[in-house]
């Protein structure tokens, strides 16, 4: 049985990826290593807690002794989602971004090499390419021109992965994806902020003139793309993963308000994000051609599905907004596993 170590499996995409593997790949064992930062919510994975092929380990990817021990137990593939991910936070305080997104990646690489992990998958972002004007798309060969501390730290992580492949011949693949949306996204990112505020008739904060463009991909489609890179991606390659769903933020806000049958008067233009990238768009021809991956969920299906999920998970949202989710690990996990706090 192959073992996949998922780092950062309690965050938004990691949760969806762990659930995807456990639901569709009974032949895989999944170990989830997560530090449970403010963005990690163990309760997301409550339904698989007793699953025979699943194990959770609380820990930091920068903790070399722990990572070495875990990888020494036998890991075939390491998929690294663990990162600080919110651009606005990186502008206020970049230190943790450098630690987790750069030092963390280096620690994983050093230990993976020492313990002969067969394949290393680094989950990257389109933000490393910087900002586009009204036309064009980034390919895998576009230069890296990150514009904020988050994307700079992610670019550094990607370059370390590249270097370990070139220097040590490590079997490593980097994926770079556009903006994800769907279940379990932390309500500090645009879509869950827009949905949860509108649900409560609170203003929707749209940064600047609202004409910044993002390309949206339903999280399940991202998970399938990562799985294809994990299974069939070529070592040393980068794969762009785009949704083909470009939308200015103001249109996204209107779409969500229409879905919730709320008035457009809830839209409130607020001070812009410093260095706010104007447009992201990826050319995904390489992953489509080489790995036969295509997005399946259109925005017309994905937005109503996502809005419905948040409507049906208001308790989940409420806990995240109040900070109560942080109690879950302490109360529930420690009790059920008889661990010391
Ligand atoms: P998230 O913020 O929702 O979750 C991050 C997870 O990583 C959390 O569970 C957190 O506890 C964990 N973590 C953070 N630092 C850690 C550390 N030092 N050690 C162990 N665990 C740690 O993030 P997300 O939106 O799910 O993004 C996951 C990955 O995908 C990130 O690498 C991000 O750069 C990349 N990505 C995200 C998007 C997007 O739209 N969300 C798009 C492209 C790429
Ligand atoms: O492109 C991939 C990236 O997408 C990932 O690498 C990041 O981890 C992820 O956070 C996301 O970054 P963005 O900055 O694009 O996402 P965010 O949800 O923060 O913002 C989306 C757009 O909406 C962006 O143009 C800023 C704007 N925005 C955001 C928030 C939170 C608003 O207008 N209002 C808001 O309240």
């Amino acid at each position: 049985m192959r073992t996949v170590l998922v780092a950062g499996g309690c965050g938004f995409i990691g949760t969806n990826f762990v659930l995807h593997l456990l639901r569709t790949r009974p032949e895989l064992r999944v170990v989830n290593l997560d530090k449970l930062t403010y963005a990690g919510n163990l309760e997301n994975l409550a339904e698989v807690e007793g699953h025979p092929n699943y194990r959770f380990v609380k820990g930091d990817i920068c903790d070399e002794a722990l990572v070495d021990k875990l990888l020494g137990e036998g890991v075939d593939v390491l998929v690294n989602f663990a990162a600080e991910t919110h651009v606005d936070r990186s502008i206020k305080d970049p230190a943790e971004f450098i630690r987790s997104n750069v030092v963390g990646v280096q620690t994983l690489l050093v230990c993976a090499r020492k313990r002969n992990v067969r394949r290393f998958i680094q989950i990257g972002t389109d933000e490393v390419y910087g900002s586009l004007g009204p036309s064009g798309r980034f390919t895998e060969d576009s230069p890296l021109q990150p514009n904020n501390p988050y994307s700079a730290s992610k670019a550094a992580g990607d370059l370390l992965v590249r270097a370990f492949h070139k220097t040590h011949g490590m079997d490593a693949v980097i994926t770079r994806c556009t903006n994800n949306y769907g279940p379990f996204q932390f309500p500090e990112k645009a879509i869950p902020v827009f949905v949860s505020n509108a649900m409560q008739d609170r203003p929707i904060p749209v940064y600047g003139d609202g004409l910044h463009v993002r390309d949206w991909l339903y999280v399940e489609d991202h998970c399938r793309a990562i799985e294809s890179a994990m299974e069939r991606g070529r070592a040393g390659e980068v794969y762009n993963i785009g949704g083909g769903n470009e939308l200015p933020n103001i249109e996204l806000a209107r779409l969500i308000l229409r879905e919730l049958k709320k008035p457009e008067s809830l839209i409130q233009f607020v001070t812009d994000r410093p260095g706010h990238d104007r447009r992201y768009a990826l050319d995904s021809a390489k992953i489509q051609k080489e790995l036969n991956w295509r997005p399946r969920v259109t925005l017309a299906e994905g937005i109503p599905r996502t809005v419905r999920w948040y409507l049906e998970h208001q308790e989940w949202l409420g806990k995240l907004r109040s900070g109560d989710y942080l109690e879950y690990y302490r109360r529930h996990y420690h009790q059920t596993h008889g661990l010391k706090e």
Side-chain angles (χ1 to χ4, degrees), residues 178-243:
T178 53
N179 287 61
N180 282 218
Y181 70 104
F184 299 110
Q185 189 165 28
F186 195 87
E188 64 179 355
K189 307 283 168 62
I191 288 188
V193 166
F194 291 0
V195 174
S196 59
N197 281 19
M199 265 164 30
Q200 298 169 42
D201 296 306
R202 296 208 312 228
I204 289 189
V206 172
Y207 294 171
D209 61 8
L211 297 178
H212 302 81
V213 173
R214 295 293 181 268
D215 172 16
W216 294 96
L217 179 72
Y218 194 67
V219 63
E220 248 171 53
D221 281 330
H222 187 193
C223 291
R224 285 191 306 102
I226 296 166
E227 188 185 8
S228 70
M230 181 175 110
E231 299 298 7
R232 303 189 302 282
R234 281 186 296 133
E237 294 296 318
V238 174
Y239 293 94
N240 283 350
I241 307 168

Side-chain angles (χ1 to χ4, degrees), residues 85-87 125-127 150 177-179 188-190 193-194 205-207 212 214 249 273 276 280:
T85 61
H86 193 40
V87 174
T125 169
D126 59 356
E127 293 206 14
Y150 161 69
C177 191
T178 53
N179 287 61
E188 64 179 355
K189 307 283 168 62
V193 166
F194 291 0
V206 172
Y207 294 171
H212 302 81
R214 295 293 181 268
N249 294 334
R273 171 185 281 173
H276 194 175
Y280 300 144

Side-chain angles (χ1 to χ4, degrees), residues 11-13 34-35 37 40 60-61 81 85 100 124 150 154 180:
F12 162 46
I13 307 172
D34 198 297
K35 184 181 173 185
T37 68
D60 192 328
I61 57 167
F81 295 89
T85 61
S100 289
Y150 161 69
K154 288 296 290 183
N180 282 218

Side-chain angles (χ1 to χ4, degrees), residues 55-223:
R55 176 178 164 213
F56 170 71
V57 178
K58 183 180 189 295
D60 192 328
I61 57 167
C62 300
D63 180 344
E64 191 168 340
L66 172 67
V67 173
D68 181 59
K69 180 173 162 291
L70 271 181
L71 299 185
E73 289 168 9
V75 166
D76 300 284
V77 184
L78 194 164
V79 186
N80 181 33
F81 295 89
E84 288 295 328
T85 61
H86 193 40
V87 174
D88 295 333
R89 286 179 189 258
S90 80
I91 294 167
K92 288 196 193 97
D93 186 3
E96 203 52 37
F97 287 73
I98 304 307
R99 216 184 71 83
S100 289
N101 304 0
V102 186
V103 179
V105 174
Q106 171 246 314
T107 309
L108 292 177
L109 286 165
V110 166
C111 296
R113 179 164 174 260
K114 179 173 158 202
R115 295 296 185 173
N116 296 317
V117 169
R118 282 196 216 141
R119 170 150 271 204
F120 191 103
I121 310 286
Q122 172 67 4
I123 307 302
T125 169
D126 59 356
E127 293 206 14
V128 296
Y129 297 119
S131 186
L132 282 167
S135 62
R137 287 178 181 179
F138 292 122
T139 71
E140 289 81 357
D141 295 326
S142 299
L144 301 191
Q145 294 183 321
N147 292 321
N148 59 63
Y150 161 69
S151 49
S153 68
K154 288 296 290 183
D158 284 8
L159 292 178
L160 280 169
V161 175
R162 176 191 156 90
F164 268 65
H165 170 73
K166 294 282 182 195
T167 308
H168 300 298
M170 183 182 267
D171 179 335
V173 174
I174 298 168
T175 61
R176 293 192 182 129
C177 191
T178 53
N179 287 61
N180 282 218
Y181 70 104
F184 299 110
Q185 189 165 28
F186 195 87
E188 64 179 355
K189 307 283 168 62
I191 288 188
V193 166
F194 291 0
V195 174
S196 59
N197 281 19
M199 265 164 30
Q200 298 169 42
D201 296 306
R202 296 208 312 228
I204 289 189
V206 172
Y207 294 171
D209 61 8
L211 297 178
H212 302 81
V213 173
R214 295 293 181 268
D215 172 16
W216 294 96
L217 179 72
Y218 194 67
V219 63
E220 248 171 53
D221 281 330
H222 187 193
C223 291

